[in-house]
Amino acid sequence: MNETVLCKHKLTTKRELLILLLIKAVLTIKTLIQIKDLQKDYISQNSTVTALSDINLDINSGDIFGIIGMSGAGKSTLVRCINFLEKPTKGTVIIDDKDLSLLNDQELRNVRQDIGMIFQQFNLLMQRNVEDNISFPLEIAGKSKAEGRKRAKELLEIVGLGDKSKSYPSQLSGGQKQRVAIARALSTNPKILLCDEATSALDPTTTRSILALLKEINKKFGITIIIITHEMTVVEEICDRVAIIDNGYVAEHGKVEDVFSNPKTDAAKKLVYSNKAAVAEMKGKRCIRIVFDGKSSYEPVIANMVLECRAQVNILFADTQDINGKAIGHMILQLPEDNMVAEKIINYLRDRKIVVEELKNYV
Amino acid sequence: MFSAETIKMLIDGTADTLYMTFFSTVFAYLFAFPLGIALVITKKDGLKPKPVLNRILDIIVNVGRSIPFLILLIAVIPLTTFIAGKSYGTTATIVPLVIAATPFIARLIESSLEEVDKGVIEAAQSMGASIKTIIFNVLIPEAKTSLIVGGTIVIGTILSYSAMAGVVGGGGLGDIAIRYGYYRYQTDIMLITVILLVVLVQILQEIGMRIAKKTDKRVIK
C-alpha cells in the first residue's frame, strides 16, 4: 500500500521519502496477534486435563510464525485458540486490538472471516468443485455468486491451478488439494493465515512447493502466517520467528536462527537435534586409506560420500593440504560395521577415481 | 390366466401401493428431517450441544423404532380416524405409515449426517459459517449420497409396511394378498402379488442407487 502512495504522489524530497519509509517500518512491525496468559483445560466428568497454560506470545504483522512441538504438545489446540474455535479457559487473544474473549458469536464469526485456515487433511467440500470450494467463504460472507467466481479465478491463477476450476477434489492430488485449500483460505483477503500441519500429509517435494507458495503469498500480500508443525525443516525453510511448545507451555521463542542455533531448554534441544541421527559408537573393523593425489580440492568428497551413502565414517587420521586448488595427502577412515554399506562407500570413492586401499587390523 | 377383473384389481392394487408409499415417504421425511438434524446438532460434541434435549429425542426415536409396525398400526387407529376420518383404506394407512417411518428415517438421516468429515465442519466454522449455513451448505450437501441411499432403503421399507397394512384393510397389494391369497386360498394371486412387490422394490432400489451414484462427486468417473 505504501508503494502505491509513493508512486501516486511522485515525491520529490528525500525527507518525505524517509518519513514514509519510517512509517512503513513502524507499520510492518506492529503486533497483530497478542496471546495473553492463555490457558486451556479440557474438563471431563472425573478429570481435568490442562492442554495449554501460561501462553504469552506476540506475533507481528507480516511475519511467518512457526509453532513447533512434538505431537500432543498442544500446538493444534493453540492454533484453534487463535481463532477461538477452541475457547480458552483463561486468558485471551487480541487480534488487531480486538479482544476475542469479549465478542459474541456473531462478532466472532465476523472476525473469523478475516482469518484463513488450512489443515493437514485439506478439508475441502468433496461434493463441490474447486471453484465453488474457493468461493465458499465469500458465500458465507454474503457475497454474490458472480463475485465468488471472479475471485476463485484470480486465486486459482495465484496458486497455479488455473485449469482446474471445474474439477472435483477427488480428482486432485494432495498437493493440488492443499493449493485449493490455500486459495479458499485467501478468498476473503484475510490478514492472517493459520496453517495446521498443512504439509504433514504431503511428500517432501510437494511440501517444498507448498511452502514456497506460502512464502510467496506472505511477500505478495503481506499476510501474517502462523504455521503449526512438528517438522523442523518446515520452520527452517520459511519461518521468521518460532515458538517451541512443550507439554502445554512455551519452552522457547524468538528468531528462528537464534532458537535453532542455540537451543536452551531440553524441549528445544530434543527438537533441534532429533532429526540428526544419534552419534553411535563406531564399531566397524574395516579401515581404509584413501589417497588424494591432486584431484580438485573444491569437491567435498568425504561430505558428499556421507550424504550419498547415508552412513557415518570415522576419520582416524588425516594429512591433506591444498596446493593451488589440488588436494594432496591421505586419510584413514573407519567404515561402518554393516558390510554392504562399507562396500558402497568403497565403490563410491573408487568411482570418483580416488585410490582406496584396505588396511588390516588398524583398529 | 387371470380374468380381466383380476388384472384390473392387481393394477389398482399396485397403484394404491405406490400411492401409499409415495405420500408416506414424503410426509415422513417432513418430520424426520428436522428430527434427524436435531439429533445430530444437539449431541455432546455437536454444533449446538443440548444433552438433555438430545437424550429426550433419542428416547422418543428408540421407542418409536421398537414398536412392531403391526401393533402400531392397530394402536394408532383412534388417531388415524381422527386425522383421516376413517381407519381403513389407502389414505388412512398413510397415517400409521408416517408414524412408523419417521423415527426410522430420523435415525438414517442422523447416521448419514454423522458421516460428514468433522474436519470439513471445522473448516466451515473457521470461515465464520453460522450453524444454519453449516447444516444447509455443508452437512446436507456433503451427506447427499448417503441420504439418497438412505431414501432408497426407506422407500423399500415403507412399501413392505404398506403391504402389512392389508391386515386391517389398508388397500394395495398387501390387502389383495391377504384377502385372496390367505382367506380364499388363491395361491396364484398370492404369488403374483409377491412378485409384483419384489419387482416394485427392485425398480425403486435401482433408481435410487443410480441417482446416488450419479450425483456423487467423491468418486472419479
Side-chain angles (χ1 to χ4, degrees), chain A residues 106 109-114 134-145 147-148 184 187-189, chain B residues 124 127-130 133 137:
Chain A
Q106 179 60 49
R109 286 202 291 272
N110 289 339
V111 169
R112 283 195 196 130
Q113 291 177 9
D114 246 348
I134 297 173
S135 57
F136 188 41
L138 292 169
E139 208 177 300
I140 292 170
K143 298 280 162 38
S144 75
K145 195 137 188 150
E147 204 171 325
R184 179 174 72 175
S187 66
T188 51
N189 264 322
Chain B
M127 295 168 202
S130 62
T133 308
N137 295 7

Side-chain angles (χ1 to χ4, degrees), chain B residues 122-174:
Chain B
E122 191 181 36
Q125 284 175 315
S126 81
M127 295 168 202
S130 62
I131 292 175
K132 196 177 129 214
T133 308
I134 293 176
I135 292 170
F136 291 102
N137 295 7
V138 179
L139 281 179
I140 294 173
E142 287 295 298
K144 186 175 59 186
T145 307
S146 175
L147 288 170
I148 295 171
V149 172
T152 311
I153 297 170
V154 165
I155 290 175
T157 308
I158 292 184
L159 196 110
S160 69
Y161 277 5
S162 81
M164 233 188 274
V167 177
V168 292
L173 289 172

Side-chain angles (χ1 to χ4, degrees), chain A residues 159-176:
Chain A
V159 300
L161 291 174
D163 55 337
K164 297 279 186 218
S165 67
K166 300 289 177 205
S167 299
Y168 283 89
S170 60
Q171 298 165 315
L172 304 177
S173 70
Q176 288 172 328

